[in-house]
Amino acid sequence: MASFVTNHQKPYAALSPTLPGRSLAGKSAFVTGAGSGVGSYITRGLAAAGVSRIGILGRNKARIEKAKDAFAKEFPAVAFEAYAADITDDPAIAAVFKAFGTPDILVNNAGYFPDEGPFVEQDLKKWWSGFEINVLGTAIVTQKFLQTLSPGQKAIVLNVSSFAAHMRFPLIGWSGYNGSKLAQARIFENIRFEHTDVRFVNIHPGCLDTDGFTRSGAPAPAGGMTDGKLTGEFFAWAATDEAEFLSGRFVWADWDVDELKAKKEEILEKDLLLTTIDGFTRGW
Ligand SMILES: NC(=O)c1ccc[n+]([C@@H]2O[C@H](COP(=O)([O-])OP(=O)(O)OC[C@H]3O[C@@H](n4cnc5c(N)ncnc54)[C@H](OP(=O)(O)O)[C@@H]3O)[C@@H](O)[C@H]2O)c1
């Protein structure tokens, strides 16, 4: 299958956080669902790029505290703060941002694969829980975060989306996940026009061997699973000035950043990497 640019499975030199212009020193970040899986790799990627203070959140208090201790051991120069809350709990999330303050970088990673078979057979209450977490929960975290910003304050919101939001091939038994991930991505494409000082980027993190991936029943991609370190480094890169041109767009974490940067003018001129309908001419 042709890709927009070359895909990688492992970390590569051009993604290194030690390259000039890649440092996130002095920045603060907040990552939801950081206690395991994709979120833990993104947290490590941000810490390795020099983020000095990182808030991490998950529902399971023991798990998020344990993750905090592990991160602190690995990155002693970084201040980690753990919060136990459900992203669908509006007052709890407001209280979290009151306690943490406004991070420079918000990563909406917490998500859920709700499907248990073909649409026609599913318990739709269970199916809907994917929308509750992936759409409502992500919206609550984002809204509470945006409400902490002062007028004109710059910020970055990286949204962990999925290939499932836009890929054409048949994904049988994925209707709740696909629908919720597309809705989520579309919401960010829209609210970026209301917050022009905020960079919103939808990012497919790659295919990582996590509890969530196992639950989805997805087969390993032909090219192999994505190394979580690559995902973490890509998210850190997406928060640098180099990636400013991706504001409002949808990218994959396993895409080659040099090739992506080389396509910058094309992406901006043709307004690429947005959700749309194939074959439909843009504009009115
Ligand atoms: N793995 C992949 O290959 C892949 C591919 C594409 C996209 N993604 C996306 O990547 C993200 C993470 O997926 P994953 O594979 O790492 O899944 P995972 O292994 O199930 O981890 C999900 C994390 O989110 C937290 N979480 C779930 N629901 C939450 C809620 N309501 N409130 C707060 N925290 C919550 C969980 O912690 P608690 O249980 O403690 O709350 C857990 O740490 C998801 O958005 C997923 O859609 C993953």
Side-chain angles (χ1 to χ4, degrees):
M1 188 185 310
S3 175
F4 191 68
V5 293
T6 303
N7 295 80
H8 293 268
Q9 278 78 44
K10 303 235 168 288
Y12 52 99
L15 261 192
S16 171
T18 58
L19 291 172
R22 298 295 174 82
S23 172
L24 299 175
K27 304 267 185 214
S28 60
F30 196 93
V31 185
T32 66
S36 63
V38 173
S40 67
Y41 290 112
I42 295 171
T43 302
R44 288 193 174 89
L46 293 170
V51 172
S52 55
R53 185 169 161 253
I54 307 183
I56 58 171
L57 178 140
R59 290 165 301 189
N60 184 318
K61 190 168 168 43
R63 173 149 72 171
I64 202 72
E65 290 288 350
K66 196 173 165 202
K68 183 186 101 166
D69 293 344
F71 292 143
K73 212 169 165 190
E74 203 176 333
F75 301 98
V78 182
F80 292 96
E81 293 174 31
Y83 295 89
D86 191 313
I87 59 167
T88 62
D89 184 342
D90 209 312
I93 296 302
V96 164
F97 283 117
K98 199 162 178 216
F100 186 81
T102 309
D104 298 300
I105 305 157
L106 168 66
V107 181
N108 281 314
N109 164 76
Y112 182 58
F113 185 91
D115 293 291
E116 289 178 344
F119 171 76
V120 73
E121 294 169 10
Q122 291 205 53
D123 168 357
L124 290 181
K125 286 270 165 26
K126 175 97 197 332
W127 180 88
W128 184 248
S129 65
F131 288 82
E132 295 266 357
I133 296 175
N134 299 339
V135 183
L136 180 61
T138 300
I140 287 173
V141 172
T142 306
Q143 189 196 53
K144 296 302 149 210
F145 163 75
L146 291 172
Q147 287 173 349
T148 71
L149 294 177
S150 317
Q153 187 175 350
K154 288 198 172 300
I156 295 173
V157 178
L158 304 178
N159 180 49
V160 179
S161 187
S162 170
F163 69 91
H166 70 89
M167 288 296 273
R168 190 192 280 273
F169 59 78
L171 287 159
I172 306 296
W174 283 49
S175 59
Y177 186 67
N178 288 9
S180 62
K181 282 296 190 181
L182 177 58
Q184 190 194 60
R186 186 73 184 146
I187 288 165
F188 286 104
E189 279 185 7
N190 183 270
I191 59 175
R192 74 182 167 123
F193 296 114
E194 299 169 10
H195 298 274
T196 49
D197 297 309
V198 180
R199 181 193 311 175
F200 295 96
V201 192
N202 288 308
I203 307 176
H204 164 57
C207 288
L208 287 78
D209 190 5
T210 65
D211 291 349
F213 188 85
T214 304
R215 198 180 315 119
S216 76
M225 298 298 282
T226 311
D227 185 327
K229 187 163 185 268
L230 176 149
T231 301
E233 289 186 350
F234 187 92
F235 273 75
W237 174 74
T240 64
D241 290 348
E242 274 186 18
E244 173 65 40
F245 72 102
L246 295 177
S247 188
R249 302 183 193 276
F250 195 125
V251 293
W252 287 32
D254 60 6
W255 283 355
D256 186 278
V257 288
D258 283 338
E259 291 179 32
L260 196 52
K261 282 189 285 175
K263 288 193 172 212
K264 176 178 171 179
E265 298 312 321
E266 184 191 355
I267 291 167
L268 297 177
E269 269 168 31
K270 296 184 181 165
D271 209 14
L272 303 179
L273 304 178
L274 300 171
T275 59
T276 182
I277 300 173
D278 284 353
F280 182 78
T281 311
R282 301 273 169 88
W284 297 117

